[in-house]
Amino acid sequence: MPLQILLNGAKGRMGRTIAGLAGEMDAAIRATTDAGDDPAAHLAGCDVIIDFSSHSATGRLLELAVAKKKPIVIGTTGHGAAEKKKLLALAAKVPCVWAGNFSVGVNLLFALTRRAAAVLGADYDAEVVEMHHRFKKDAPSGTAARLLEIILEERKLTADALRHGRSGITGERPPTEVGVHALRGGDVVGEHTVLFAALGERVELIHKASDRAIFARGAVRAAHWVVKQKPGVYDMQDVLGLK
Ligand code: NAD
């Protein structure tokens, strides 16, 4: 019997992509929900919930997953820091994979960014640049947010160090600053560059996604994995065995 999925955000770009390839991955979309639907009315017979919708939907969906003891895969981004903290406490009560990016390449980029930040040290100015399609509703992307978190962790800095864009008389760049820049346009699926620049050299780590099927496949792979786990919050590094 294929894995039975409740797909939330089913009418969106990611929802449609997941529905298009679930069948190739020993999974079936048992039920679909989108804005205005009540997921509680569609959960019967589903093994797992996959959510790619809006940050405003995550709280209710997690409450439902906890009440019905259903594993959940969350790909939705755009949660504020305080909002996310509360949601993570709720998510820990069920098996939950929560990832800002489900691609294998990006998960490798996370690992390489951590290594580069550690090896290159504070003398190398760190900046993250991302570009996405014109329809994207949040900025910076969930992936950029994770890359920034990794750099802040390695450098023992807080979110106060983040500098979102620059304009006007900004003065010289302080070494503790971590720059972040979100470009929007056209149909770009997702591009992320992490730069480390010192006097005399620059290292750039670049990932370019050209097909959102990479995220959809990763999410279905995570769904197969999460139904076998104990309650707790996991990420794609856990699913891929990169930790
Ligand atoms: P989209 O705008 O094309 O689709 C979102 C869908 O969610 C729409 O059909 C919308 O009607 C629906 N929706 C809105 N509010 C809802 C609610 N309260 N309940 C149920 N459905 C609701 O967006 P998209 O490109 O498919 O992306 C969806 C989310 O996934 C975004 O947050 C995006 O950043 C994120 N995303 C994550 C990854 C990843 O790998 N983690 C990859 C791509 C996109």
Side-chain angles (χ1 to χ4, degrees):
M1 172 96 156
L3 186 73
Q4 302 292 305
I5 296 170
L6 168 69
L7 181 59
N8 190 53
K11 291 184 183 160
R13 279 174 291 268
M14 280 304 299
R16 281 176 280 139
T17 310
I18 291 170
L21 56 72
E24 299 162 17
M25 297 185 66
D26 196 25
I29 307 301
R30 170 96 178 202
T32 60
T33 46
D34 203 274
D37 298 329
D38 177 12
H42 296 85
L43 198 56
C46 295
D47 303 314
V48 61
I49 301 168
I50 297 184
D51 174 50
F52 281 84
S53 61
S54 156
H55 69 97
S56 58
T58 312
R60 249 186 73 206
L61 206 57
L62 275 173
E63 280 166 14
L64 174 65
V66 171
K68 301 289 179 191
K69 296 190 169 51
K70 289 285 178 193
I72 183 166
V73 172
I74 298 176
T76 302
T77 65
H79 308 87
E83 183 189 13
K84 185 147 182 191
K85 205 172 159 198
K86 270 194 211 158
L87 294 172
L88 284 172
L90 196 54
K93 297 180 179 172
V94 286
C96 172
V97 175
W98 191 326
N101 195 305
F102 282 90
S103 111
V104 176
V106 162
N107 280 278
L108 180 62
L109 178 68
F110 291 151
L112 294 173
T113 297
R114 187 175 292 286
R115 179 97 179 105
V119 170
L120 297 174
D123 193 37
Y124 286 70
D125 301 326
E127 302 264 320
V128 173
V129 184
E130 57 105 328
M131 179 159 188
H132 284 82
H133 52 86
R134 62 167 70 146
F135 307 106
K136 187 163 175 63
K137 296 182 184 70
D138 55 309
S141 68
T143 304
R146 182 66 195 128
L147 289 165
L148 293 163
E149 254 174 35
I150 291 169
I151 296 167
L152 294 179
E153 280 164 24
E154 282 302 321
R155 297 210 164 160
K156 304 197 173 18
L157 295 169
T158 67
D160 293 338
L162 298 180
R163 184 68 178 257
H164 293 266
R166 290 187 184 84
S167 149
I169 312 298
T170 56
E172 284 187 19
R173 185 192 194 288
T176 49
E177 196 166 276
V178 180
V180 47
H181 312 275
L183 318 184
R184 292 288 174 271
D187 60 356
V188 175
V189 172
E191 299 185 0
H192 293 86
T193 302
V194 184
L195 289 101
F196 295 93
L199 301 180
E201 67 175 352
R202 181 167 90 227
V203 174
E204 294 187 10
L205 303 172
I206 302 174
H207 179 271
K208 297 186 181 188
S210 50
D211 186 341
R212 56 177 57 78
I214 56 165
F215 311 125
R217 279 201 195 91
V220 177
R221 182 166 167 177
H224 276 290
W225 184 88
V226 79
V227 294
K228 297 185 203 117
Q229 306 308 313
K230 292 189 189 128
V233 181
Y234 306 93
D235 61 19
M236 211 43 197
Q237 308 267 314
D238 295 302
V239 177
L240 298 171
L242 281 172
K243 275 191 179 156

